[in-house]
Amino acid sequence: MTEELDVDVAVVGSGAGGSVVAYHAARSGARTLLLERGPHLHPRDISHDEPEMIARIYKDGGAQTNNAADMFVLQGSCVGGSTVLTNGVCLRIPEPVRRSFAAHGFELPADELARSHERVESVLNVHPLAPSLHNPAVEPLAEGFRRMGHKPGGFRKNFLDCIGCGYCNVGCRYGQKLDAAQTWVPMALDRGAGLRPDTAVERIDHHRGRVLGLLCRDLVTGATLRVRADRYVLGAGAIGTPELLLRSRIKTDLAGRFTSFHVGAIVFGDFPQPLDGFDGDQMCLHVFTDRFLIEQCQNPPVSTALTLPGWYGDHAQRMQRYRHLAALGVLVPTAPTGRVFLGLGHRIARRFFDHADVRFAASRDELTRLAEGMQLAGKAMLAAGATVVHPPLATGRSFASARDLDALPALVRRQSDFVGFGSSHPQGGARAGADPRHNVVGPDFRVHGMDNLFVADASVFPHALGVNPMLGIMAVADRAARFVLDAELPDSIDEGPAHRARQRLAGAAT
Amino acid sequence: MTLPLNGYLALALIAAVPLAPLWLPLLPLVIWWWRRETRIGRELGYAALPRFAAEAIAAHAEAAFGVAPEGGWTVVARNVDRYLNAVDSPRHWRTFGVLTILAFAPWLRLQPRLAALPLPRRRRFLERHLRTTRGFLLVPSLARQLVRMGYYHDRGIAAALGFRTVNQRRQEPARAAASAASGAKVAG
């Protein structure tokens, strides 16, 4: 039997984009339903069991790759989406990116975007990471960068009372990372919204430019669910949203095109003294240049083993130096040359290929920039006292001097020359812009040619942000909510865990 | 030659077509064997892994790492099994394809399957033939990530690396004092 639901606003995806719109919709009094493919995990359901958590909260158990299987694409698949897996880094959309989007026809007025950023930051309690939470590898790494003439910076994060356990990437079991599952989603539910986790939206039914309903499947019971609404919002992410558009035959000429990434891999440095980088926040330091970004990324043992380069005996020996290892991730924003599509397998054997495929190959320039970033990361670690650095090369080669590292760019010709090459920041795929001939979504977040279908996630970005995108996606979704609801948003949001903590502290002070 | 992973699988299927008179009569036997291996896997306590895949993982781990977990090499297979059992993905079958190819990859070199190879030969096989991120042998080499995950998830192995869990760290006197003094950090 098919269950039927009638609401005012149906939101697909509960990550950085969908959760924000769902909250605003519920707050406005609209009957709101939030649909999420993944499970709903409470902090008590989250553990430090890395394999189990990777299996449960990452899309495809962390094994989503591009078509050539030489690039991992990591995304969350649970209530809260990828915000549950982030290191809590909160960076605003850079002004040059905002201007570049505007030049493309996707206008985000500076003052309105600033207000959106502020609103989101207030809900997420964004503040500079306390030095007491720094892991012990930060100081030597910072010193290494200073010796190389770079000034490392810290991060602003969305934490409340963080204890620096070092397990951000498998979700926060203490409920202290204010991701979407801790903020926007419960705030929306408190305002009367409904939530359907473990529910896959399989198709959007539409006729003559108007969405008639969503055909969904309950992944636990297998039951079919049909959702009817006045307005529909897609927030399923840069792969899920174009996939759903393609499955539903909406804008098939453009959906999935112009996908971009922040591609990267991790460089390890082996220090003579134990650093115990696992003991504190995983990501405390960054160096940004106009060619690449470098961000610290210490990991617990399993994730370290999965990203540490080296084959068999070499890898095992390097892991023996776990306490001595510092890790720096190098990220490069790519051009929007990727594509999300439904492959041949999806058409002829859907049972085995019931997913979108991702095609992406980094350009020579992008690989060169990645290699340059690895050079700088490696040299900084050597300058800080590391005896050897392990860049993520498929050959497993290590480097013991800065001079040797100069050869690095010449060793990299294709992305399969790396190990652990991947991205956790896919963007684009349902690009926003004024011209319907070249863009899926208009500047008002409405899908071109559709009356009541909106997109409010990273897929609207014309190109990669160049910084960790969570805060930017939420700010853009905050703006999208205005168009979806056709109403002004409140200046401030006085609810949620951060607001309650502020009130408690204010009460204690008086 | 570099092909997408699905490309290799399609190529294998295409290559199998002319040989259909040979393998088609064997297909019921293969299905029977797969079911039997899965059933025996269940009897051995594996929720997702067929027996041959569990044996291949344990054999791969023994060849790749010097020190066995306290419970023996099958611990690695059990950890991988728990991970695979928790994954819900339309790509899931590919992982079993990768593990099957890993288990029988030595047949391509006219050697016994991986778990049946003596340790020095097994080590040599992995070092010589699965050290790759390209070509067909990329497929079984992907299994190394599962094996690493299963191995380093073992508490004893992680402790031997010097890793301290959050509870162990909390019991350190300096940490306990700092923790007692901490509180919510709020912005604004």
Side-chain angles (χ1 to χ4, degrees):
Chain A
M1 201 181 85
T2 301
E3 186 186 352
E4 307 227 349
L5 280 174
D6 278 293
V7 292
D8 296 323
V9 180
V11 182
V12 182
S14 63
S19 63
V20 175
V21 178
Y23 164 73
H24 284 302
R27 184 184 171 127
S28 75
R31 291 175 304 146
T32 305
L33 178 64
L34 191 51
L35 298 153
E36 168 57 51
R37 191 187 197 290
H40 190 189
L41 299 179
H42 295 276
R44 64 176 177 273
D45 303 319
I46 293 174
S47 74
H48 289 171
D49 182 324
E50 285 179 272
E52 189 190 335
M53 295 316 301
I54 291 171
R56 291 178 72 190
I57 65 178
Y58 280 77
K59 190 173 179 187
D60 291 339
Q64 180 175 245
T65 66
N66 69 341
N67 245 17
D70 58 6
M71 172 181 164
F72 286 93
V73 184
L74 298 178
Q75 290 185 294
S77 182
C78 56
V79 171
S82 298
T83 69
V84 175
L85 323 172
T86 71
N87 288 95
V89 171
C90 291
L91 296 163
R92 292 186 173 197
I93 296 174
E95 178 56 19
V97 172
R98 189 195 68 78
R99 282 203 297 267
S100 164
F101 283 8
H104 179 79
F106 180 39
E107 185 72 48
L108 300 167
D111 53 337
E112 290 179 20
L113 185 62
R115 271 203 297 281
S116 289
H117 276 133
E118 282 162 18
R119 243 191 314 267
V120 171
E121 286 171 347
S122 144
V123 169
L124 266 52
N125 191 40
V126 177
H127 64 284
L129 183 69
S132 59
L133 295 174
H134 283 187
N135 68 71
V138 174
E139 261 319 300
L141 290 175
E143 181 56 27
F145 279 116
R146 282 192 285 268
R147 287 184 187 169
M148 294 300 300
H150 290 267
K151 190 180 168 195
F155 283 115
R156 297 169 77 232
K157 299 207 174 190
N158 58 336
F159 296 158
L160 204 51
D161 190 9
C162 173
I163 63 162
C165 70
Y167 278 94
C168 277
N169 297 146
V170 293
C172 184
R173 69 181 295 186
Y174 309 103
Q176 300 300 327
K177 181 168 70 178
L178 297 188
D179 51 42
Q182 293 301 312
T183 53
W184 302 106
V185 174
M187 286 159 59
L189 300 187
D190 286 348
R191 293 275 186 171
L195 171 67
R196 291 291 292 243
D198 299 303
T199 302
V201 179
E202 304 205 310
R203 199 178 67 226
I204 303 167
D205 286 333
H206 58 98
H207 183 65
R208 292 193 177 175
R210 188 161 179 83
V211 176
L212 306 174
L214 302 174
L215 184 67
C216 315
R217 186 163 46 92
D218 186 313
L219 297 174
V220 177
T221 64
T224 308
L225 169 70
R226 189 174 290 279
V227 177
R228 285 199 197 87
D230 293 334
R231 283 149 290 172
Y232 300 83
V233 183
L234 303 186
I239 293 172
T241 289
E243 177 182 350
L244 187 53
L245 291 171
L246 290 167
R247 279 171 185 263
S248 311
R249 300 183 182 278
I250 296 172
K251 294 293 275 184
T252 49
D253 53 337
L254 290 166
R257 291 180 187 269
F258 311 112
T259 304
S260 53
F261 299 89
H262 296 147
V263 292
I266 299 176
V267 184
F268 289 84
D270 187 342
F271 285 74
Q273 74 281 17
L275 298 177
D276 289 340
F278 59 82
D279 189 1
D281 187 281
Q282 295 176 273
M283 193 176 277
C284 306
L285 156 152
H286 73 263
V287 168
F288 287 177
T289 76
D290 56 355
R291 304 270 296 164
F292 49 78
L293 333 171
I294 298 177
E295 297 178 339
Q296 189 198 18
C297 49
Q298 302 296 143
N299 277 310
V302 169
S303 300
T304 299
L306 294 179
T307 49
L308 182 68
W311 295 96
Y312 300 106
D314 288 345
H315 184 274
Q317 279 180 4
R318 289 172 187 178
M319 276 302 290
Q320 289 301 314
R321 302 282 300 164
Y322 176 70
R323 293 185 66 199
H324 300 250
L325 295 176
L328 291 169
V330 182
L331 294 179
V332 170
T334 73
T337 54
R339 188 173 172 194
V340 175
F341 64 103
L342 299 177
L344 185 65
H346 185 269
R347 265 170 270 163
I348 61 177
R350 186 172 295 188
R351 187 175 165 197
F352 296 106
F353 299 94
D354 196 13
H355 56 77
D357 286 312
V358 178
R359 186 180 299 143
F360 178 77
S363 69
R364 191 66 198 271
D365 175 60
E366 286 154 3
L367 294 176
T368 303
R369 283 155 60 196
L370 193 54
E372 286 171 9
M374 288 175 188
Q375 259 183 324
L376 175 60
K379 287 181 178 179
M381 288 198 266
L382 291 170
T387 51
V388 64
V389 294
H390 310 298
L393 296 176
T395 56
R397 182 174 163 186
S398 295
F399 297 81
S401 77
R403 218 174 119 190
D404 289 349
L405 274 168
D406 287 335
L408 193 59
L411 301 174
V412 176
R413 292 177 182 280
R414 50 178 83 89
Q415 57 200 38
S416 59
D417 289 334
F418 294 97
V419 285
F421 181 87
S423 174
S424 16
H425 304 155
Q427 295 155 74
R431 192 167 72 164
D435 189 344
R437 289 170 304 167
H438 302 297
N439 301 288
V440 174
V441 173
D444 60 353
F445 299 90
R446 199 185 303 259
V447 174
H448 283 300
M450 299 298 291
D451 184 35
N452 58 346
L453 179 63
F454 298 81
V455 176
D457 60 26
S459 59
V460 300
F461 294 164
H463 58 76
L465 290 187
V467 295
N468 304 50
M470 178 181 73
L471 189 78
I473 297 167
M474 287 185 178
V476 167
D478 182 83
R479 177 172 166 73
R482 272 185 50 196
F483 293 96
V484 173
L485 303 169
D486 197 17
E488 288 302 314
L489 302 182
D491 285 337
S492 64
I493 297 173
D494 296 329
E495 57 190 296
H499 176 71
R500 288 195 294 274
R502 274 184 219 112
Q503 281 190 318
R504 271 199 307 275
L505 284 183
T510 54
Chain B
M1 183 174 66
T2 302
L3 280 177
L5 186 58
N6 287 346
Y8 283 119
L9 295 171
L11 208 62
L13 279 175
I14 292 166
V17 169
L19 300 172
L22 286 177
W23 63 259
L24 263 183
L26 295 176
L27 197 56
L29 199 65
V30 171
I31 293 171
W32 170 81
W33 168 79
W34 182 277
R35 285 186 175 163
R36 180 172 163 269
E37 289 291 306
T38 305
R39 182 174 46 77
I40 295 174
R42 300 280 184 283
E43 285 166 11
L44 293 171
Y46 296 105
L49 286 173
R51 174 178 61 173
F52 75 87
E55 286 176 353
I57 289 168
H60 188 299
E62 187 184 15
F65 309 109
V67 183
E70 208 175 283
W73 293 110
T74 53
V75 167
V76 180
R78 291 198 188 284
N79 287 340
V80 173
D81 183 64
R82 276 196 315 116
Y83 162 77
L84 291 176
N85 193 43
V87 172
D88 173 21
S89 159
R91 291 179 170 93
H92 207 28
W93 64 272
R94 293 206 315 199
T95 309
F96 290 90
V98 165
L99 288 172
T100 306
I101 295 172
L102 172 77
F104 299 101
W107 282 6
L108 296 171
R109 315 289 307 183
L110 302 178
Q111 297 186 48
R113 68 190 174 98
L114 194 71
L117 272 178
L119 185 57
R121 279 174 67 191
R122 200 186 315 151
R123 207 167 266 154
R124 234 177 5 250
F125 178 82
L126 294 176
E127 287 278 0
R128 277 195 194 159
H129 303 297
L130 299 194
R131 271 176 83 117
T132 181
T133 54
R134 269 187 233 135
F136 178 70
L137 289 175
L138 157 74
V139 179
S141 86
L142 288 174
R144 73 185 183 281
Q145 293 292 60
L146 287 174
V147 175
R148 287 172 182 174
M149 178 190 276
Y151 181 72
Y152 289 106
H153 181 57
D154 180 71
R155 275 189 184 195
I157 297 297
L161 299 178
F163 177 74
R164 303 193 306 284
T165 63
V166 177
N167 283 341
Q168 288 166 337
R169 286 180 250 159
R170 275 178 165 174
Q171 284 160 12
E172 294 160 11
R175 178 63 62 91
S179 178
S182 79
K185 318 283 186 300
V186 293

